[in-house]
Amino acid sequence: MYNPTNQVVFLLRVLVEGRIQRARRSEGGASAVEWVLISALLIGVAIAVGAIILKKLTDKANNINLNTP
């Protein structure tokens, strides 16, 4: 099933992993600003994924029929 959220998360993961590998290879490493940006990006992705999961759970919970015959 097509899910654009999964593709966005996959793309961000690939980009961050590439950035980490470049930082490991370089002599100087990443600056504090780069680490803050990477952390902010990961936190943003986590919040977005959490919001999507919360919305789906809330929608499912609201569709439960509590009226018994």
Side-chain angles (χ1 to χ4, degrees), residues 20-65:
I20 290 171
Q21 294 217 354
R22 275 187 279 147
R24 286 183 180 162
R25 278 183 270 154
S26 71
E27 294 288 325
S31 69
V33 174
E34 290 172 333
W35 284 114
V36 168
L37 292 175
I38 291 170
S39 298
L41 176 70
L42 293 175
I43 290 169
V45 169
I47 290 172
V49 170
I52 291 168
I53 291 171
L54 179 64
K55 171 122 176 67
K56 289 186 180 281
L57 286 174
T58 303
D59 290 346
K60 287 287 187 183
N62 288 337
N63 287 333
I64 295 174
N65 186 6

